[in-house]
Amino acid sequence: MTGSRVVALGHYQPERVLTNAELATMVETNDEWIQSRVGIKERRIAAPDESVDEMAWRAAAKALANAGIDSAEIDYVVVATCTAIDRSPNIAARVAARLGLGNPAALDINTACSGFAYALATADQAIRAGAATKAIVIGVEKLSDWTDWTDRTTCVLIGDGAGAAVLVASDEPQVGPVVWGSVPEMSDAVRIEGRDGKFQQAGLSVFRWATTQLPEIAQQVCEKAGLKPEELGGVVLHQANLRIIEPLAKRLGAVNAVVAKDVVESGNTSAASIPIAWSKLVEKREIPSGAPVLLFGFGGGLSYAGQVVRNP
């Protein structure tokens, strides 16, 4: 096979909805302040006993069901997360066990918010190299475990959840070349440090980088895929901040694309944000099957990655 294609998506979000109004009873903030700065209205928060691997499993099971593929056929599982509590086993191994898979390769990737795009690229490359034929790629986070709920600059941002994609080998590649990299001098811009660390970020620095540097890199992703931005049917960026997403899509010139704005109802779910937002658009049939979709994540490290993928 010469490449891979995404055949189905799935997502899972916890039941509990945390609104801006409820947050205002916990820290000094209000709905207007939050929406004006990041565009978030509400987010989902996992229950105390709802684990990262459970959310990942639920999203993966939904994606498999949507794909109509027997779980025994999956030979590669890759999970993007930065919020796993246990060091070993990894989340991918636990998901494989929950799904009852045979003997798949199972690995985790931690590049924080760019994780899903990184994971998707590694799965595509494994299939291209003949090391896998069918893969599950999962982005999952439980940021609520690592949040200082007295810090209004961070607690208003985060949400929990998981999203997954099923890739299969294809003679007609539908996952485009990845453009990825990092900004070493900004390696401390997004942090969860130590055994009991809390999510911290240099929000203004990340905002400035994203709004000034990201448009050019996103343009490179389109060029590598052999497309012009106006040909895109969808744009699914890391759902960090609506004030980043809207200007970027405009500057890129993706005038015909459906732009994912799931951040409004889900908050920032780090590595889970792209697959959750994309899965919802597919579920609602807002992007035509076969249309090119730009995926682009950026976050801790400061790492970034993007590719153009044909919509399942």
Side-chain angles (χ1 to χ4, degrees), residues 20 23-31 33-34 152 155-156:
N20 290 345
L23 269 175
T25 68
M26 300 163 56
V27 292
E28 186 180 348
T29 190
N30 58 64
D31 179 67
W33 188 90
I34 297 171
R152 74 169 186 167
C155 74
V156 302

Side-chain angles (χ1 to χ4, degrees), residues 41 82 117 165-166 191 196 202 218 222 301:
K41 292 183 179 180
C82 66
V166 177
R191 307 182 305 283
D196 301 309
C222 293

Side-chain angles (χ1 to χ4, degrees), residues 37-75:
R37 284 160 177 77
V38 294
I40 299 170
K41 292 183 179 180
E42 61 186 37
R43 67 287 292 150
R44 299 294 185 94
I45 303 298
D49 62 348
E50 199 166 20
S51 65
V52 171
D53 61 281
E54 179 182 349
M55 291 191 291
W57 160 63
R58 291 186 183 278
K62 184 175 179 180
L64 276 174
N66 289 338
I69 290 176
D70 189 328
S71 59
E73 299 178 47
I74 299 296
D75 52 13

Side-chain angles (χ1 to χ4, degrees), residues 13 140-141 143 159-161 238-239 266-273 276:
Q13 291 181 282
V140 57
E141 303 287 11
L143 279 164
D160 299 334
H238 165 47
Q239 302 291 292
S266 297
N268 180 344
T269 56
S270 186
S273 75
I276 290 175

Side-chain angles (χ1 to χ4, degrees), residues 2-27:
T2 58
S4 71
R5 61 188 177 96
V6 175
V7 294
L9 296 158
H11 66 277
Y12 172 79
Q13 291 181 282
E15 289 186 10
R16 185 190 173 197
V17 177
L18 178 60
T19 65
N20 290 345
E22 186 177 351
L23 269 175
T25 68
M26 300 163 56
V27 292

Side-chain angles (χ1 to χ4, degrees), residues 205-267:
S205 296
V206 174
F207 181 87
R208 286 174 176 167
W209 180 87
T211 53
T212 59
Q213 303 302 312
L214 208 155
E216 181 180 345
I217 302 171
Q219 178 69 47
Q220 293 173 19
V221 177
C222 293
E223 290 173 0
K224 274 208 167 186
L227 291 169
K228 296 178 180 179
E230 57 265 32
E231 296 178 84
L232 292 170
V235 173
V236 185
L237 306 176
H238 165 47
Q239 302 291 292
N241 186 328
L242 193 61
R243 310 309 166 211
I244 294 175
I245 294 168
E246 291 179 326
L248 174 61
K250 185 175 182 179
R251 285 188 59 185
L252 184 61
V255 294
N256 299 309
V258 174
V259 180
K261 300 178 183 180
D262 186 54
V263 66
V264 175
E265 62 182 40
S266 297

Side-chain angles (χ1 to χ4, degrees), residues 87-166:
R87 308 312 303 163
S88 182
N90 63 21
I91 299 300
R94 284 183 164 158
V95 170
R98 281 180 177 267
L99 289 171
L101 305 187
N103 56 345
L107 68 150
D108 287 2
I109 285 178
N110 178 2
T111 59
C113 307
S114 64
F116 182 79
Y118 266 82
L120 186 67
T122 65
D124 172 60
Q125 290 163 8
I127 289 173
R128 287 174 182 269
T133 57
K134 293 182 174 67
I136 296 179
V137 180
I138 305 165
V140 57
E141 303 287 11
K142 190 179 180 183
L143 279 164
S144 59
D145 273 348
W146 305 91
T147 297
D148 179 354
W149 292 99
T150 67
D151 178 6
R152 74 169 186 167
T153 64
T154 55
C155 74
V156 302
L157 302 173
I158 67 95
D160 299 334
V166 177

